[in-house]
Amino acid sequence: MANFLVIFLFVEKFLLSVEAGYTIIYQGPGKYAYKVDQINKKIGECVTLQPVINFPTNGTERITWKKDTHSLIQSERIKVLADGNLQIRSLEPSDFAYYQATVENTFGKATESTDLWLHVTGCGKHEKELARSSSLSCTTLCEAKCPSGWTYVIGTSSMCAQYFAKGETWNRASENCQAIGAELTTIENEVENRFISSMLETATGAWIGLNDRESESQYVWNFKQSSSQTYFTWGKNEPSNYNGNCNIENCVTMKKSNGYWNDVICDSFYPFVCQVSTSYNESDVSEWTCRGNSCFKLFNDHLVWSEAVSRCRKIHPTAHIAAITSGSINDLVRTLIKEPTWIGLNDIREAGDYEWEGSDSSFSYSNWDWGEPNDIFIRDRQLSCPGEDCVQIKKFGGDVTWHDLGCGTVLPYICERVRDRAFSTGAYVAIVIGAFLFALLVIGLTHAAYQRKKRTAVKDIIKAAYKEDIKLRKSEVKEKQKISFRSAARMVVPSIKVYNNLKSS
């Protein structure tokens, strides 16, 4: 009876164990082995491993633990608790292992072994690994820093990067980065450089943001006008600026093998690496804010005014740098910006004659700050004074105003495009069919109206002829009446004369 009870309890616990996430992998005379589903944890977290016990116990059972088939070495961080469970605090990569617990149960007359697989993962590509505060803490050491698809760049405080394998020219690669609110990667130290080079997937290397397109040998990042860069890691005899005796190697690639830099022709095709800050929000970049027939989008990369104009043109077939032509649009732009931002207004062509770049709108609405614009007529081109020919919109608290500014300053910018049609292909087909049917209806109604008009015209002619006939008939009657009256008069007058003659005689 006692043996039957033990077997019943074992079967009952086994059925529960299946639901609990482990299975029996061995069953023999008085010996049982179980396998627990893999346990997944991150570095810094804590875990408590429990042996499977299916037979009745009275506290006299002996529990031993092994790690990778070797005797477990306990420490302050790794301890077997009084209840026989194994506790590991502040997990480390070395804790990734196979653990085995053996329960020798004299009361239940069985030996039970449990295999446990502990999988300890490090931080994901988009996460930053934090410093360990204590060997006994239970807080994950991974902090999410970047959106999905982006990799946190070790060696920086707030930079995320993404590798793009498709070969592009430097300009096109830059535009692709711009289109998602990013820029070609910038590098400031050896740790960062080594990390970016590890992301590359081919020996050809990839574009980075460094270039000297504006001024030979004056290297800057992307479209900035100047650079305080002090870290460079050029390959041997680089930058050479050499291409068949043509000094046109103005853009820079990074090699995968050693991370060294090399200047090459900007129109060459290479993969590229984009970067964004850890505050990057893809949904903010991907969405346009629309009002009426126009949509607006803020781009946070800092460009000189002319480059901002060029970028807007390439982002969308109908896009140009924003024209603020009304108070309502000015209010809309106010909600988009956080810092001084380029708009399309400028007087580059002629001082004081402001116009909207890329827009047919006339300059009829303005929102100048007090004393602005303050550089209308104080330019002297002979002295190479560039003046303040471009316009920024600035935010003060909840209000925005306009200020003129030198076009060489680097600022974020607002692009404007025509609102996309909100019709699907099916809708267009329906519209065409509807238009065709409407045209048929109009033609039918027009034809009916024409026929009705023709019938009306015939009736009018008949009616007019009838009236004319009646009129003629009446004329003829009157004429006959007149003739009868004259005839009667001719008969009556002589009679009167005869009567008077008779009377006088």
Side-chain angles (χ1 to χ4, degrees), residues 435-445:
F436 178 74
L437 293 175
F438 179 76
L440 288 178
L441 177 63
V442 170
I443 293 172
L445 292 174

Side-chain angles (χ1 to χ4, degrees), residues 48-116:
T48 299
L49 306 180
Q50 299 178 340
V52 177
I53 301 176
N54 281 319
F55 287 85
T57 61
N58 63 357
T60 61
E61 65 277 2
R62 181 171 175 265
I63 302 175
T64 57
W65 284 89
K66 291 184 178 181
K67 177 182 178 182
D68 291 332
T69 71
H70 301 290
S71 296
L72 180 70
I73 299 175
Q74 298 190 55
S75 64
E76 185 181 23
R77 190 176 66 85
I78 304 174
K79 289 183 177 181
V80 177
L81 305 178
D83 57 5
N85 296 335
L86 175 62
Q87 184 183 72
I88 308 176
R89 303 180 68 88
S90 192
L91 287 168
E92 299 176 354
S94 60
D95 296 323
F96 186 162
Y98 150 72
Y99 294 84
Q100 185 181 60
T102 301
V103 180
E104 297 179 5
N105 187 349
T106 56
F107 178 75
K109 297 181 179 180
T111 298
E112 300 176 283
S113 298
T114 305
D115 293 341
L116 303 102

Side-chain angles (χ1 to χ4, degrees), residues 4 6 30 43 94 103 153 204 208 230 243-244 247 331 333 342 358 374 378 387 395 415 442-443 449 467 476 485 498:
F4 176 78
V6 170
I43 56 173
S94 60
V103 180
V153 180
T204 57
I208 59 177
T230 57
N243 182 63
N247 296 327
D331 290 340
V333 171
W342 285 128
N374 54 21
I378 60 175
K395 195 170 189 176
C415 293
V442 170
I443 293 172
K467 287 183 177 180
E476 290 176 358
F485 179 74
V498 170

Side-chain angles (χ1 to χ4, degrees), residues 111-164:
T111 298
E112 300 176 283
S113 298
T114 305
D115 293 341
L116 303 102
W117 295 90
L118 177 61
H119 191 180
V120 180
T121 59
C123 298
K125 292 194 304 181
H126 66 292
E127 296 175 318
K128 176 182 179 181
E129 184 173 339
L130 306 175
R132 197 178 297 270
S133 60
S134 168
S135 62
L136 301 179
S137 66
C138 293
T139 304
T140 178
L141 300 180
C142 301
E143 178 186 4
K145 301 289 286 185
C146 303
S148 177
W150 294 84
T151 301
Y152 174 73
V153 180
I154 296 175
T156 69
S157 59
S158 58
M159 178 176 157
C160 307
Q162 186 171 172
Y163 173 80
F164 293 87

